[in-house]
Amino acid sequence: MKMYILKTKGTAKIPDYVQLRDSNFVLSSHFTVSDMANVLTRNDLAKFKEKLSEIINKLPYGELQELDL
């Protein structure tokens, strides 16, 4: 499954967010890192939680990355 991931930096009042987009670049998920487990479960991506968590932690803000899940 080909997807794209983007991490955006929040502010003091707004948390950091992560966007997951499908191969057509349509937004699949938009979530905070703290809510990742719930969102992945709702989108049938829970089996990729560990892999996505590792990628998100290493991903610089504002850099789009292609995923092959």
Side-chain angles (χ1 to χ4, degrees):
M1 174 179 4
K2 186 176 178 181
M3 298 187 83
Y4 298 93
I5 187 168
L6 174 70
K7 182 166 70 171
T8 57
K9 182 144 178 78
T11 62
K13 293 182 181 183
I14 300 171
D16 298 345
Y17 274 89
V18 175
Q19 292 182 13
L20 289 178
R21 294 182 175 268
D22 67 12
S23 59
N24 295 320
F25 213 69
V26 175
L27 185 64
S28 300
S29 298
H30 185 244
F31 56 91
T32 62
V33 176
S34 62
D35 194 33
M36 181 175 71
N38 294 331
V39 172
L40 294 180
T41 301
R42 283 193 306 251
N43 291 309
D44 296 325
L45 296 171
K47 58 188 169 195
F48 302 113
K49 180 185 174 197
E50 189 174 309
K51 183 177 181 180
L52 284 171
S53 180
E54 184 178 311
I55 292 169
I56 289 168
N57 288 333
K58 293 179 181 177
L59 187 66
Y61 294 105
E63 185 176 305
L64 183 67
Q65 183 174 332
E66 187 175 333
L67 294 174
D68 194 14
L69 300 176

